[in-house]
Amino acid sequence: MCGIVGYVGQRAVQEILLAGLEKLEYRGYDSAGLSMLVADGSIESVRAVGNLSKLRAAVLDTNGNADEEQGAVATATLTATSGIGHTRWATHGRVTESNAHPHYDTTDKVHVVVNGIVENYLALKQRLRDMGAVFTSETDAEVIAHLISHHLALGSLVEGVRAAYAELEGHYSFVAMAAEEPDTLVGARKECPLIIGRGDGEQFVASAIPAFLAYTRDVQYIENGEIVVVRPEGVEFMTADGTPIEREITHVDWDESTAEKGGYETFMLKEIYEQADAVAETIADRTIRPDGIDLAEAELDESLLENVDRVLILAAGTSFHAGLIGRYAIEEWARLPVDMDVASEWRYRNPIVSERELVIGITQSGETADTLAAMRLAHEKGAKVLACTNVVGSQATRDADGVLYTRAGLEVSVAATKTFVCQVAAMYMLALRLAEKRGTLPPERIAELVAEIKQLPTRITELIEGLNGSLLATAKRHAMSDFYLYLGRHVGRAVALEGALKLKEISYIATDAYAGGEMKHGPIALLDEDTPVVCIATDMPILDKMISNIQEVRARGAHVIAIATEGDDRLEEVSEEVIYVPRTDWMLQPLLAVIPLQLFAYYVARERGLNVDQPRNLAKTVTVE
Ligand code: F6R
């Protein structure tokens, strides 16, 4: 999750940009950079790999230690009053200084900072190269600088941006500056967030409000498909075809801690709402090809996926539940046998693994002691080990043979939410890539699944926007119940397990989760008329069997809350309450079905007056043996 900040005004911009980027650090990044317009009319850039202290050091170095000629320019950045800054989390291209933003065109006159993905960058890059552009990075983002520069002939930076925008495919937001148009920044938004901060004789633009909250609380939201022209005296909004738009100014009444939470009351809620963006980042460049998935990146040599005849998934807690969905997807699509176990059990089992086994350690933090120990043991026994993690540079990434990153951004809440859906998305992509390599699915089916995976962020947005009062009412109705049963079958079982875990960990309510078919073998004894039973009944091959299990629950008079796929009316007849999720391929339904359960757990905890960001007895990372 990259961060953008831009400023035009009267103050020295260097510190404003650095401080703004520091406020966006929570999103996670691996390199950073600034570009500032200096007095001689040129644009000076400083970029560095690593955290912001490295960028600060590089800036100081440039300001202080440059030779005489450079020193004049470098010192000029101290007095520069307009510029852009960026924190990058590598997607296209390795973590290097030349891949860090800002990127610039061949003449060094147009600089850009970009979040998101340009899907058609290869075709654009070729065309721009044929016209003489010289590229200096491996990124997709750099094409934007060259494209705007090419279109500057239209007369102005905003014309250049609009023409470039019309040619770009993907989801992204960016801010551009041009040496020829001092004190002007032009921003564009397609899906990825971008927000204006309004000041007096100065303006800010950023990917999130905390970046400029120290200076202003007056904000203007940029909507999808809009372009903004930002000058010290004001901001113009327009559609991509240039039609002016009026945009009201909203005053945000946030203190520092609310700002950190993006205006939400807790980190958990913020992170639930960030899931569409997080999944979009996770799948971005990996789903560009309509006929398949691309996972090869600096940390993952795809030869790791070859000559594999078994898969073993090891994880703990929520990550284990993501692995369970991965198991179904790999078996269904890639026809590979998949075993799995919780890492804390497997490592003490004197386990048997072979060299042709791919061991996947799923750990969002990359630091969970049992998962790390299990991965190391598998490695010692000769297996190939792939880490699926959210944290760049974590121990799991150092121990594994390859890394499949989820790109959820930093997760602060102890209860994992957005990292879970990203792990599930990563498992789907891995399963599909294995299927592609092994030729176990027809090309049309792969294309269909890629298209559905690409739609997931939109479906998550639709789902969250639609989950209104009724879910809250359900939570209020059952908030004081002292026991909940969760049931699911097939891929729905993982959702039931995860829903039950979320509720118990943040609401301290006893929950149990079972495979629907197991209910009659014991747990049915627990049911009475007061028991809420959450039943995962989204589209899947054995939905009829799940509906039969629901009937069994009903026969005991318990209260059924069903999670169903939109358009499936059968659940209305057998359930007291039905929560619908958008329809997608049945294998992908779990990623959507879990979201109402996260929110449900959240609302129940709130009704019980609990602090969901700090559940008792829990730490974010379990590193103690
Ligand atoms: C639950 C939760 C935990 C973690 C588990 C593993 O909300 O967050 O169950 O999933 O402690 O953590 P990681 O994935 O960091 O290995």
Side-chain angles (χ1 to χ4, degrees):
M1 304 275 267
C2 309
I4 287 179
V5 57
Y7 173 83
V8 283
Q10 326 302 328
R11 304 187 216 210
V13 73
Q14 189 172 287
E15 189 49 38
I16 291 177
L17 296 179
L18 284 166
L21 292 179
E22 276 160 6
K23 293 288 178 199
L24 300 180
E25 274 191 298
Y26 69 91
R27 298 170 70 84
Y29 63 101
D30 49 45
S31 51
L34 311 175
S35 283
M36 293 157 280
L37 188 88
V38 299
D40 71 355
S42 65
I43 302 177
E44 284 301 309
S45 251
V46 188
R47 302 181 294 186
V49 168
N51 60 25
L52 285 174
S53 64
K54 296 272 177 6
L55 180 64
R56 271 196 182 276
V59 167
L60 279 179
D61 210 32
T62 321
N63 291 159
N65 300 339
D67 63 31
E68 220 165 70
E69 198 186 322
Q70 276 182 323
V73 173
T75 313
T77 63
L78 286 171
T79 52
T81 57
S82 68
I84 51 181
H86 190 263
T87 44
R88 169 177 191 248
W89 191 337
T91 54
H92 287 65
R94 291 157 300 148
V95 182
T96 61
E97 193 191 322
S98 55
N99 286 338
H101 300 216
H103 290 292
Y104 44 86
D105 71 320
T106 313
T107 61
D108 200 16
K109 294 262 160 66
V110 175
H111 284 222
V112 295
V113 283
V114 184
N115 283 358
I117 297 290
V118 179
E119 292 189 348
N120 57 339
Y121 82 102
L122 283 174
L124 289 170
K125 193 167 178 173
Q126 193 50 53
R127 209 184 86 210
L128 289 157
R129 265 198 181 130
D130 293 345
M131 292 189 298
V134 178
F135 280 78
T136 55
S137 79
E138 302 159 335
T139 66
D140 54 333
E142 191 185 342
V143 294
I144 300 184
H146 292 279
L147 201 57
I148 295 172
S149 169
H150 167 68
H151 288 301
L152 271 188
L154 290 168
S156 67
L157 180 58
V158 62
E159 293 298 314
V161 166
R162 280 188 35 226
Y165 184 88
E167 292 195 62
L168 295 167
E169 288 166 19
H171 68 275
Y172 50 79
S173 60
F174 65 82
V175 178
M177 63 191 289
E180 248 111 79
E181 259 179 82
D183 296 331
T184 306
L185 302 179
V186 178
R189 173 176 181 190
K190 191 166 180 195
E191 315 283 355
C192 296
L194 202 60
I195 297 154
I196 295 289
R198 296 299 303 260
D200 189 7
E202 61 180 357
Q203 316 297 341
F204 304 79
V205 56
S207 51
I209 294 174
F212 52 69
L213 199 69
Y215 305 97
T216 179
R217 283 178 154 68
D218 290 331
V219 308
Q220 284 174 304
Y221 293 98
I222 305 170
E223 302 294 345
N224 252 339
E226 291 181 358
I227 311 271
V228 284
V229 185
V230 187
R231 301 196 179 92
E233 61 279 10
V235 180
E236 285 169 52
F237 280 70
M238 65 190 71
T239 58
D241 63 12
T243 312
I245 302 172
E246 287 295 316
R247 181 61 36 82
E248 74 280 10
I249 296 178
T250 311
H251 186 78
V252 291
D253 213 3
W254 298 355
D255 56 21
E256 283 266 320
S257 111
T258 323
E260 264 191 293
K261 295 177 199 133
Y264 293 97
E265 60 193 13
T266 60
F267 281 109
M268 184 175 171
L269 195 58
K270 167 176 173 280
E271 288 160 7
I272 289 173
Y273 274 82
E274 279 172 356
Q275 293 185 109
D277 278 352
V279 171
E281 289 278 345
T282 299
I283 64 172
D285 49 317
R286 293 153 170 172
T287 50
I288 289 179
R289 190 159 53 87
D291 57 350
I293 299 284
D294 293 306
L295 296 180
E297 25 192 274
E299 301 82 358
L300 178 54
D301 175 350
E302 281 202 352
S303 62
L304 195 65
L305 310 182
E306 277 146 28
N307 304 319
V308 167
D309 47 35
R310 289 191 81 78
V311 175
L312 169 66
I313 300 177
L314 299 170
T318 288
S319 298
F320 180 80
H321 301 152
L324 194 50
I325 299 171
R327 171 193 223 172
Y328 278 96
I330 295 170
E331 288 191 346
E332 178 76 24
W333 295 338
R335 303 307 294 148
L336 268 170
V338 184
D339 284 331
M340 63 183 305
D341 204 347
V342 284
S344 56
E345 282 299 312
W346 185 85
R347 59 180 289 208
Y348 297 114
R349 259 172 52 189
N350 193 9
I352 303 161
V353 266
S354 82
E355 284 172 11
R356 290 175 68 89
E357 194 145 342
L358 175 67
V359 174
I360 307 170
I362 308 179
T363 164
Q364 80 77 23
S365 62
E367 303 289 351
T368 295
D370 281 316
T371 309
L372 292 177
M375 287 165 63
R376 274 189 216 125
L377 182 59
H379 198 267
E380 277 161 31
K381 287 179 178 282
K384 310 188 225 186
V385 179
L386 174 68
C388 175
T389 185
N390 198 45
V391 180
V392 178
S394 57
Q395 190 61 45
T397 67
R398 298 199 292 274
D399 291 350
D401 299 307
V403 185
L404 174 58
Y405 280 110
T406 49
R407 302 180 192 135
L410 182 68
E411 190 172 63
V412 178
S413 164
V414 174
T417 54
K418 62 176 180 170
T419 54
F420 174 75
V421 292
C422 290
Q423 288 168 340
V424 175
M427 287 301 109
Y428 288 145
M429 291 188 294
L430 181 64
L432 211 43
R433 183 68 185 132
L434 284 166
E436 209 184 333
K437 279 183 169 286
R438 292 167 54 79
T440 46
L441 283 181
E444 318 76 76
R445 176 74 177 131
I446 293 184
E448 197 178 281
L449 286 165
V450 173
E452 286 293 340
I453 291 173
K454 287 184 81 161
Q455 282 301 311
L456 284 171
T458 313
R459 305 239 192 279
I460 297 172
T461 307
E462 257 170 55
L463 169 62
I464 291 187
E465 280 170 5
L467 283 175
N468 42 28
S470 64
L471 188 65
L472 187 57
T474 304
K476 277 187 197 281
R477 196 168 305 129
H478 301 288
M480 294 306 153
S481 298
D482 54 13
F483 172 69
Y484 278 71
L485 184 65
Y486 284 70
L487 295 177
R489 295 188 76 135
H490 202 273
V491 284
R493 181 159 75 98
V495 179
L497 287 163
E498 177 57 10
L501 177 68
K502 281 294 92 96
L503 189 65
K504 72 167 66 108
E505 81 175 313
I506 61 166
S507 300
Y508 321 145
I509 298 175
T511 64
D512 221 335
Y514 266 88
E518 279 291 289
M519 196 196 42
K520 54 182 170 293
H521 300 291
I524 199 161
L526 290 169
L527 300 184
D528 63 27
E529 280 168 21
D530 295 328
T531 318
V533 183
V534 179
C535 298
I536 317 307
T538 46
D539 186 28
M540 64 175 151
I542 58 161
L543 179 56
D544 286 348
K545 298 213 175 296
M546 186 64 216
I547 293 178
S548 303
N549 297 138
I550 295 177
Q551 304 277 24
E552 290 162 8
V553 172
R554 293 270 289 198
R556 296 280 156 150
H559 186 104
V560 173
I561 303 166
I563 309 294
T565 301
E566 255 164 29
D568 190 345
D569 301 334
R570 283 174 297 172
L571 276 307
E572 297 281 347
E573 286 162 34
V574 292
S575 323
E576 271 71 31
E577 293 166 71
V578 186
I579 296 157
Y580 287 102
V581 299
R583 183 172 290 278
T584 174
D585 186 89
W586 67 264
M587 182 61 88
L588 309 182
Q589 292 278 200
L591 187 145
L592 300 176
V594 77
I595 293 172
L597 300 187
Q598 297 167 340
L599 264 176
F600 180 71
Y602 182 84
Y603 290 149
V604 169
R606 201 173 59 180
E607 281 302 306
R608 293 167 80 102
L610 300 167
N611 179 351
V612 298
D613 276 341
Q614 280 168 351
R616 67 183 182 205
N617 305 335
L618 288 170
K620 182 77 194 157
T621 308
V622 187
T623 48
V624 185
E625 286 281 79

